[in-house]
Amino acid sequence: MTGLLILAVVVMVAGFVATMMIGESKSNKKADPNYFKFTGKKWARLSGIYIACIILLAVIMIVIWNP
């Protein structure tokens, strides 16, 4: 059970790091100079996705650990 929890956290952290690396890459900035316009909506949407995943993971863990 703890292994699944660790795996879920590792996957979430890896996804976050990969997202940041792609967003900050030089090739991304060169290919689309408008990428950094209106970033507020993009960050809000991305943050919402991460928060929803964290809540979903917490609910699943509670259900599994408290049958």
Side-chain angles (χ1 to χ4, degrees):
M1 191 66 61
T2 304
L4 291 175
L5 174 61
I6 292 171
L7 179 63
V9 170
V10 167
V11 169
M12 289 176 62
V13 170
F16 178 75
V17 169
T19 301
M20 294 299 117
M21 289 174 62
I22 291 168
E24 294 296 325
S25 68
K26 289 182 181 179
S27 62
N28 190 25
K29 291 177 184 176
K30 287 181 183 177
D32 188 5
N34 292 324
Y35 181 79
F36 287 97
K37 291 184 179 178
F38 310 110
T39 57
K41 289 181 182 180
K42 293 176 187 176
W43 283 108
R45 188 174 26 231
L46 183 62
S47 298
I49 291 169
Y50 276 103
I51 291 169
C53 288
I54 290 169
I55 292 170
L56 181 62
L57 179 62
V59 168
I60 290 171
M61 289 177 15
I62 291 169
V63 168
I64 288 174
W65 283 343
N66 294 322

